[in-house]
Amino acid sequence: MKFITAAKVFLLPISVHAQNPAPIIVLPKSDQADSYKMQSAEKFKNSKEIIEDPSSGNINQEIIFTDSQPGTLPSPKSISDLTKRITSGQVEQFGGEAGALRVRLRGARAFEPTYYFNGLPLAGSDSSEQIVSLIPISAIASLMVYPDSPPFWLSSMGISGDINVLSCQKENCFAKKRTFDENSFKVNSRAGSFHYWQNSISHALQLDKNFSVFSTVEATSSKEDYPVFNNNNSVLNANRGQYENLQNNDFQKYSGYFHLNINSSLFNNINSATLYTDYEKGIPGAVSSASNARIRKKLFISTLQAEKFYPDNGIIWNNQLGLILNKSEISNFSEGYTTQANSSFNTTAQIKSWMTIPTQFIFEEKTGIVIEYLNFTQNTTASVPAALDNSSDSESKSLRREIRLGLFESIYLPLLKEYSLSLNFNSWLSGAQSEVSIDCNKGNLQNICNTKNNNIEKNIYGYSFSIQQNYKFIINYLRYILAMRRPYLAEMYGSPSGILANSALQEEQSRKIEFGFTFPYFEIGTFYTKDSNLIFLQEINQFISQYQNIEDSNRIGLYLNSDIYIYKSWKFYFSYQYVKSLMNKNNNEYYVPRSSENSINSGTSVDSIFITKLNEYSTYFGSYFNLNWQSEFYLDYLNINKVEIPPIYNTGFSVQFKNLKEQRNFLVSFDIYNIADETYAKVSNTTGFSQQMQTNGYIGYPPPGRRFYLTISGEI
């Protein structure tokens, strides 16, 4: 009762990063990768710890820190840049800094991984792709990437992997710990191509060992007027058209974030994190056409979590609340459109409690139990600008109440001094009830208008069984997974903007078996996956579309990741993925469109090379060179049009000034993206491809050509 009372006082949902075998991991900078330490070695070390405590994660989890050793990687401008460091998947970004982001973990064909913010799911009413892009980079400490099965407490229902965004607090977003009552400040300023500007100020205060605060404000803007190729409806060929600067593509994003940490007698650790973002962007039209349409988004996220550790019996008890408010509005439509969803408002509310209970019946066991309640709502309004008649306006309201139950069991067997084995079973069950109401007056949408439904949705479930062992410097694992994804509200119940409801939509399913080895210097693994009932949007006619279960697919893949210091501060890294995806449609197999078989992310860097000492400051130099490449792929289901993808080269350097005595740190970095100025993908076969819209942002890869960014940051 005391906790419920405290939660009502805060009125904010919750998120903790526990200290003893923490479910939500927060690593202080001292525990992150230091100079001359390889990520492969760090992953091997973490994997050994996970074998002893499988409830804390899985061997395949990947930790992507916002801050890296200066000069070894590009300084991230957004979460899109941060995901490009993921080695367990293919990452693509379309249309510049404000464009779409696609992350395919293990080559998953479904829309996207399931994203979380401190364990709060960002998807439910609709996909989380748009929400996650609104989170400011200055509020992100790290990404926890789970390409197959996440820890039980995340209660995942995704079939395409999971990415948990961990937000900043003082311990993980400042380089040095300071004494009590001292303020810490970090200022970051970045300028770049296409009139790009980004500025942020962060502040942390540690009053005593039981109380700390962290806050940050961030502003980002860009005109994004990069050149796009206008082929005038001809074959996509650089010799048959001209480049034009993209218009009405600018964006502005303003964000604020606040984190509070309290250690108390009631709960060992209480964390509250609150985020707000205001975002506006132009919507460009076809090349050579004018567009005045604008989209504006507002995002509010709040999490609150309390953790209690019972030292007498080793029980860890966590309670979490979460809230998301997400609003989007579109204005200044051009006349002639049939319908437009000009406003949407989505909410997610979460209550979750989970517990881990250690026992010693066999050797060392842990039982985990989780219960989670989620409430999703989506309200959408639409209008017909060309009609200029309010009688054509419409509204759709949908609601889903979902309860998720989870059970986890693990056994750890330290059989020999140099050999250990653990087994774990993880399972979820989800039940849901939904309501939908669509009110509208449109002639071409009468079959979905003025309807009301109240449904008990089909139960879905998922589970994973995993065996992992460690012998000296070798870790290997075998895992079998069944995952399901419930259709989003927008997919199942439609919207008045022209999306037909489909209450018969089946849940997506994925079955996967995975086997691999982890060594101190590299990891290698293989997997086979069968996906069923994959959901895609199908066009019915020029006015309406509908989400349907249109295909099954098979995936088989191999991955290899390695990094090693060749000499002192000279590092080399290499990541390779092979994924062959075939879809089954009408009893025939096709290569999956937009799916490359081979992809490589490789590079070399030098870091922390001491140059000289200026007064009280030691000066260090760092530099990197990076290559990203993927093999050609088909654009369409008929596998007629294949595109070649050019290799993309990036480089940069940094100069760092450190004053250890005063704990001051200043950094100047310069990054060059796409050195060769590749601006579009070419159709490689003789049939050609006619594309009316701009190539960048629709089928073009990579994002706009060569770009430069200068970053200056300081921490005092």
Side-chain angles (χ1 to χ4, degrees):
M1 293 299 295
K2 292 182 179 179
F3 170 73
I4 295 176
T5 303
K8 290 181 178 179
V9 172
F10 274 97
L11 290 178
L12 291 174
I14 148 181
S15 160
V16 135
H17 311 297
Q19 297 172 340
N20 305 294
I24 297 182
I25 301 172
V26 168
L27 299 178
K29 285 296 178 64
S30 59
D31 293 336
Q32 295 182 21
D34 299 323
S35 300
Y36 317 127
K37 186 174 291 187
M38 298 171 295
Q39 293 297 325
S40 297
E42 284 292 292
K43 188 167 186 178
F44 181 82
K45 176 184 174 183
N46 293 335
S47 297
K48 289 183 64 176
E49 296 173 352
I50 290 170
I51 288 179
E52 299 175 3
D53 181 18
S55 66
S56 65
N58 73 52
I59 288 177
N60 280 335
Q61 73 182 21
E62 187 174 4
I63 308 174
I64 309 297
F65 293 108
T66 305
D67 289 341
S68 60
Q69 191 66 26
T72 59
L73 291 167
S75 178
K77 306 178 296 298
S78 63
I79 196 169
S80 296
D81 282 349
L82 204 56
T83 59
K84 292 175 184 176
R85 301 182 180 182
I86 295 174
T87 61
S88 53
Q90 296 171 318
V91 181
E92 298 174 3
Q93 184 181 355
F94 305 89
E97 298 298 339
L101 171 68
R102 173 184 292 154
V103 179
R104 292 196 303 267
L105 299 177
R106 302 286 191 254
R109 175 63 178 140
F111 288 121
E112 59 184 16
T114 301
Y115 289 94
Y116 304 81
F117 181 82
N118 294 337
L120 169 64
L122 300 180
S125 303
D126 205 346
S127 65
S128 54
E129 210 170 47
Q130 299 301 318
I131 294 180
V132 74
S133 65
L134 299 180
I135 300 176
I137 191 66
S138 60
I140 300 175
S142 59
L143 304 180
M144 300 297 296
V145 182
Y146 305 101
D148 43 41
S149 176
F152 82 96
W153 47 265
L154 207 54
S155 61
S156 164
M157 289 295 172
I159 74 165
S160 305
D162 301 85
I163 298 178
N164 189 17
V165 180
L166 298 184
S167 65
C168 278
Q169 51 182 284
K170 184 179 183 298
E171 286 74 13
N172 56 17
C173 283
F174 275 85
K176 296 293 182 181
K177 293 184 177 180
R178 294 175 175 273
T179 58
F180 300 143
D181 299 320
E182 280 198 25
N183 291 302
S184 299
F185 292 92
K186 182 190 294 184
V187 178
N188 190 85
S189 182
R190 180 179 289 112
S193 299
F194 312 121
H195 309 277
Y196 183 92
W197 288 92
Q198 185 180 74
N199 297 281
S200 65
I201 301 175
S202 302
H203 169 254
L205 175 62
Q206 182 83 43
L207 293 179
D208 55 47
K209 64 179 182 179
N210 296 319
F211 184 87
S212 67
V213 295
F214 177 95
S215 60
T216 185
V217 292
E218 180 180 298
T220 306
S221 65
S222 178
K223 286 190 176 181
E224 291 297 280
D225 52 348
Y226 51 81
V228 294
F229 185 65
N230 182 4
N231 62 1
N232 298 311
N233 294 322
S234 68
V235 172
L236 183 55
N237 187 304
N239 298 322
R240 301 184 185 178
Q242 64 280 336
Y243 286 93
E244 302 174 2
N245 287 344
L246 191 57
Q247 303 297 314
N248 194 42
N249 193 40
D250 62 298
F251 78 93
Q252 301 86 38
K253 182 170 69 174
Y254 304 96
S255 304
Y257 167 80
F258 179 80
H259 179 273
L260 174 66
N261 173 262
I262 301 174
N263 295 321
S264 67
S265 57
L266 179 62
F267 285 93
N268 301 107
N269 205 329
I270 298 175
N271 283 268
S272 173
T274 302
L275 168 71
Y276 176 79
T277 294
D278 193 303
Y279 173 90
E280 182 178 347
K281 180 186 181 300
I283 304 176
V287 177
S288 300
S289 67
S291 172
N292 296 313
R294 309 285 297 180
I295 183 169
R296 185 169 185 178
K297 300 180 181 181
K298 296 178 183 291
L299 174 66
F300 174 85
I301 305 179
S302 187
T303 59
L304 175 67
Q305 185 184 23
E307 181 190 64
K308 179 68 174 179
F309 177 67
Y310 297 91
D312 294 338
N313 48 31
I315 294 176
I316 299 177
W317 178 38
N318 288 271
N319 295 276
Q320 177 167 304
L321 304 175
L323 178 65
I324 300 175
L325 307 176
N326 182 33
K327 184 178 181 180
S328 298
E329 294 179 306
I330 302 178
S331 59
N332 300 333
F333 293 120
S334 299
E335 290 190 7
Y337 288 97
T338 54
T339 62
Q340 292 287 344
N342 57 355
S343 177
S344 68
F345 182 69
N346 300 336
T347 70
T348 299
Q350 175 198 50
I351 301 175
K352 182 196 287 191
S353 182
W354 72 98
M355 182 180 296
T356 56
I357 305 170
T359 56
Q360 291 184 335
F361 292 117
I362 303 176
F363 279 91
E364 297 178 19
E365 306 88 39
K366 273 194 175 181
T367 301
I369 303 171
V370 58
I371 180 170
E372 180 175 14
Y373 171 78
L374 292 163
N375 191 96
F376 304 106
T377 69
Q378 177 170 284
N379 297 335
T380 304
T381 61
S383 61
V384 184
L388 302 178
D389 185 353
N390 292 336
S391 64
S392 296
D393 290 348
S394 58
E395 184 175 15
S396 171
K397 296 181 179 180
S398 52
L399 163 68
R400 173 180 288 153
R401 303 180 183 92
E402 183 177 3
I403 294 180
R404 298 180 182 179
L405 303 175
L407 178 64
F408 170 85
E409 184 68 32
S410 71
I411 302 175
Y412 170 63
L413 299 92
L415 300 178
L416 300 172
K417 182 179 181 181
E418 296 180 328
Y419 177 79
S420 58
L421 171 73
S422 66
L423 306 89
N424 57 283
F425 177 75
N426 200 352
S427 61
W428 303 270
L429 174 66
S430 166
Q433 180 184 17
S434 58
E435 300 175 8
V436 60
S437 172
I438 301 178
D439 299 314
C440 56
N441 183 24
K442 291 193 174 78
N444 60 331
L445 296 177
Q446 286 301 319
N447 55 339
I448 67 168
C449 287
N450 306 315
T451 61
K452 293 186 178 182
N453 291 312
N454 192 334
N455 300 320
I456 302 296
E457 296 186 15
K458 181 181 177 181
N459 292 338
I460 64 173
Y461 56 90
Y463 60 83
S464 66
F465 179 74
S466 182
I467 303 174
Q468 44 271 324
Q469 57 184 349
N470 171 223
Y471 177 70
K472 292 185 177 179
F473 58 87
I474 302 176
I475 293 173
N476 69 295
Y477 63 90
L478 175 65
R479 181 175 292 121
Y480 178 79
I481 303 161
L482 168 66
M484 297 187 185
R485 179 181 78 84
R486 191 184 299 280
Y488 300 134
L489 289 174
E491 295 170 344
M492 180 172 284
Y493 301 112
S495 70
S497 60
I499 306 299
L500 290 177
N502 186 359
S503 58
L505 209 57
Q506 298 295 308
E507 71 281 356
E508 292 183 325
Q509 296 187 29
S510 180
R511 298 177 185 270
K512 178 164 62 174
I513 185 168
E514 189 159 3
F515 177 74
F517 293 88
T518 301
F519 300 89
Y521 298 103
F522 69 95
E523 65 172 345
I524 185 171
T526 184
F527 62 89
Y528 172 78
T529 302
K530 182 175 178 58
D531 304 316
S532 304
N533 299 328
L534 295 184
I535 300 171
F536 291 93
L537 186 63
Q538 294 293 290
E539 184 178 282
I540 306 300
N541 56 44
Q542 62 177 327
F543 303 110
I544 57 178
S545 301
Q546 185 183 52
Y547 284 98
Q548 298 176 359
N549 299 110
I550 66 166
E551 68 177 49
D552 299 338
S553 70
N554 299 309
R555 290 179 277 136
I556 184 169
L558 171 73
Y559 52 90
L560 171 66
N561 303 308
S562 176
D563 66 334
I564 187 171
Y565 274 93
I566 299 174
Y567 178 76
K568 290 186 177 180
S569 59
W570 181 19
K571 182 180 180 181
F572 172 80
Y573 61 91
F574 178 83
S575 175
Y576 168 75
Q577 281 200 68
Y578 168 81
V579 180
K580 187 173 183 178
S581 299
L582 293 173
M583 72 176 188
N584 303 311
K585 190 175 182 182
N586 300 325
N587 297 320
N588 293 313
E589 282 192 336
Y590 300 87
Y591 285 103
V592 175
R594 299 304 297 265
S595 182
S596 300
E597 283 193 8
N598 301 279
S599 61
I600 292 175
N601 180 14
S602 183
T604 184
S605 64
V606 293
D607 55 76
S608 298
I609 298 179
F610 178 77
I611 301 176
T612 186
K613 191 166 185 177
L614 301 173
N615 295 328
E616 298 288 330
Y617 290 88
S618 298
T619 307
Y620 299 88
F621 175 81
S623 181
Y624 70 90
F625 180 83
N626 173 257
L627 161 68
N628 288 280
W629 173 83
Q630 60 177 304
S631 60
E632 61 186 11
F633 54 73
Y634 290 101
L635 287 170
D636 55 291
Y637 286 111
L638 298 179
N639 291 331
I640 296 176
N641 301 296
K642 183 183 287 188
V643 292
E644 294 176 346
I645 305 300
I648 306 303
Y649 305 98
N650 309 302
T651 189
F653 66 88
S654 70
V655 180
Q656 188 178 25
F657 305 91
K658 286 185 177 181
N659 186 327
L660 299 179
K661 181 179 179 181
E662 299 292 334
Q663 294 190 5
R664 296 178 179 178
N665 186 28
F666 298 94
L667 178 69
V668 178
S669 62
F670 183 70
D671 299 298
I672 307 175
Y673 291 83
N674 195 0
I675 300 172
D677 197 22
E678 300 286 356
T679 56
Y680 64 96
K682 299 179 181 178
V683 174
S684 61
N685 67 340
T686 58
T687 61
F689 182 72
S690 180
Q691 172 68 19
Q692 181 178 4
M693 306 297 283
Q694 68 227 37
T695 58
N696 283 306
Y698 290 88
I699 66 169
Y701 180 86
R706 187 185 300 116
R707 288 163 291 151
F708 304 89
Y709 296 92
L710 176 66
T711 304
I712 302 174
S713 63
E715 183 177 327
I716 59 176

